[in-house]
Amino acid sequence: LIHSEIEPDFSAELCPKATLADLDPSAMTDFRALWAKRSSNDRLAAVPLAQVLADADLLPDGCVTYAALILFGTHAALGRHLAPAEVIFEYRSSEASGPAQERHEFRESFLRFHDQLWKLINQRNDRQSYQDGFFRFDLPTFDERPVREAVLNAVCHRDYRAAGSVFVRQFSRRLEVISP
């Protein structure tokens, strides 16, 4: 583990054969809108997408980084340049082995599927209740913010040189996010 902390960040490396055409324009547009909203900078809407990506260190000197592929890559581009960039969601109603009750495979830009993944998790997000004095409170089993953070960390910080997919396995009261 300590060894991997001193290695260069793989996602910041350039993907030698990838071009801007390998990136999904709608995902890049969504990124620009999210960045403009987060920074309260409406002027970003007028900045060309290539400049926005360059400013975010995703397109240094016009070259596509692996991070840009992970965030914005098309299905075909990920298959060509970054085959392990896949997230598999499984819902399992029990701990028994065997096929999952529901399974979805995502090999596309992270910005294209992250909301859909949360919707899949949230559709079976039971409420848990607890009592504090005279009051009863209901809370979801899975809180959106830490779930999204766990998935984002698994996708962004995994070693893409290793084979395998990121797995998100949901059980009734437990969620596993497993990165190779």
Side-chain angles (χ1 to χ4, degrees):
L1 182 63
I2 291 173
H3 174 69
S4 66
E5 290 176 5
I6 60 172
E7 289 186 23
D9 177 12
F10 174 77
S11 68
E13 293 178 17
L14 302 180
C15 181
K17 295 183 180 178
T19 68
L20 203 52
D22 289 316
L23 307 181
D24 179 342
S26 64
M28 292 184 291
T29 300
D30 290 350
F31 174 73
R32 178 173 52 192
L34 289 168
W35 193 2
K37 182 179 178 182
R38 177 76 169 120
S39 65
S40 300
N41 183 358
D42 295 334
R43 291 176 289 163
L44 279 174
V47 177
L49 288 173
Q51 184 61 52
V52 171
L53 298 187
D55 291 347
D57 293 329
L58 297 168
L59 201 66
D61 300 322
C63 299
V64 175
T65 63
Y66 284 105
L69 274 175
I70 293 162
L71 291 171
F72 315 117
T74 64
H75 177 83
L78 289 170
R80 267 192 318 276
H81 305 297
L82 201 58
E86 178 179 60
V87 174
I88 298 173
F89 168 80
E90 294 181 340
Y91 174 75
R92 297 177 170 275
S93 60
S94 73
E95 299 286 333
S97 61
Q101 281 73 20
E102 186 172 358
R103 180 182 167 104
H104 297 271
E105 298 175 6
F106 300 99
R107 181 178 290 174
E108 58 189 310
S109 103
F110 182 76
L111 288 177
R112 291 274 58 93
F113 74 82
H114 73 108
D115 284 334
Q116 184 182 357
L117 179 60
W118 170 249
K119 286 177 185 173
L120 288 169
I121 293 166
N122 200 37
Q123 75 185 17
R124 291 193 177 96
N125 195 358
D126 295 335
R127 312 253 338 140
Q128 308 297 319
S129 67
Y130 74 95
Q131 188 148 354
D132 186 8
F134 291 118
F135 302 101
R136 184 176 247 6
F137 297 95
D138 287 332
L139 296 171
T141 302
F142 307 110
D143 186 67
E144 181 176 6
R145 192 171 181 182
V147 167
R148 285 184 181 267
E149 181 71 18
V151 172
L152 179 64
N153 284 340
V155 169
C156 290
H157 298 298
R158 68 160 287 186
D159 183 355
Y160 283 93
R161 293 168 287 207
S165 304
V166 171
F167 276 86
V168 178
R169 290 191 180 110
Q170 181 180 1
F171 299 86
S172 63
R173 295 206 176 199
R174 179 169 54 95
L175 189 75
E176 299 176 344
V177 180
I178 304 163
S179 183

